């Protein structure tokens, strides 16, 4: 069970239909759950594919700090998040 699934369960809520969750830590780090694959990886942009969306983080000095099955941590100076629902 994912972190977000556990929180939703404790609160009596259902998981979002989008299939992804994002936590922004003051623009210094991003935690994302629900990713299927990494589409682009540069110091200026990191792009992920999820079940229902393409998500791109833009900024400076971005690195993929950690990537596990379905989740990742992006670090650097995050300046923008673009979500394109499919």
């Amino acid at each position: 069970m994912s972190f977000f699934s556990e929180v939703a369960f404790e609160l009596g809520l259902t998981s979002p239909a989008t299939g992804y969750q994002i936590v922004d830590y003051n623009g210094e780090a991003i935690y994302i759950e629900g990713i299927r694959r990494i589409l682009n990886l540069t110091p200026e942009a990191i792009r992920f594919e999820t079940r229902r969306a393409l998500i791109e983080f833009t900024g400076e000095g971005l690195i993929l700090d950690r990537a596990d099955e379905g989740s990742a941590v992006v670090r650097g100076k995050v300046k923008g998040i673009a979500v394109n629902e499919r």
Side-chain angles (χ1 to χ4, degrees):
M1 183 179 285
S2 76
F3 168 76
F4 291 104
S5 296
E6 289 180 33
V7 171
F9 177 78
E10 289 296 321
L11 296 174
L13 303 171
T14 58
S15 294
T18 58
Y20 66 87
Q21 296 81 32
I22 299 170
V23 178
D24 180 351
Y25 292 94
N26 297 318
E28 297 173 18
I30 299 285
Y31 173 77
I32 180 171
E33 236 178 48
I35 61 173
R36 289 192 169 186
R37 64 185 178 138
I38 301 164
L39 300 174
N40 183 46
L41 180 60
T42 70
E44 294 79 32
I46 299 179
R47 192 175 187 203
F48 297 99
E49 177 184 45
T50 70
R51 187 176 73 213
R52 295 188 180 178
L54 299 176
I55 302 171
E56 183 174 47
F57 302 103
T58 55
E60 297 173 5
L62 301 180
I63 61 167
L64 188 60
D65 187 48
R66 182 176 59 92
D68 296 326
E69 187 176 329
S71 67
V73 174
V74 173
R75 290 187 185 269
K77 188 173 185 180
V78 180
K79 294 184 175 181
I81 301 172
V83 177
N84 296 312
E85 300 285 337
R86 298 195 264 171

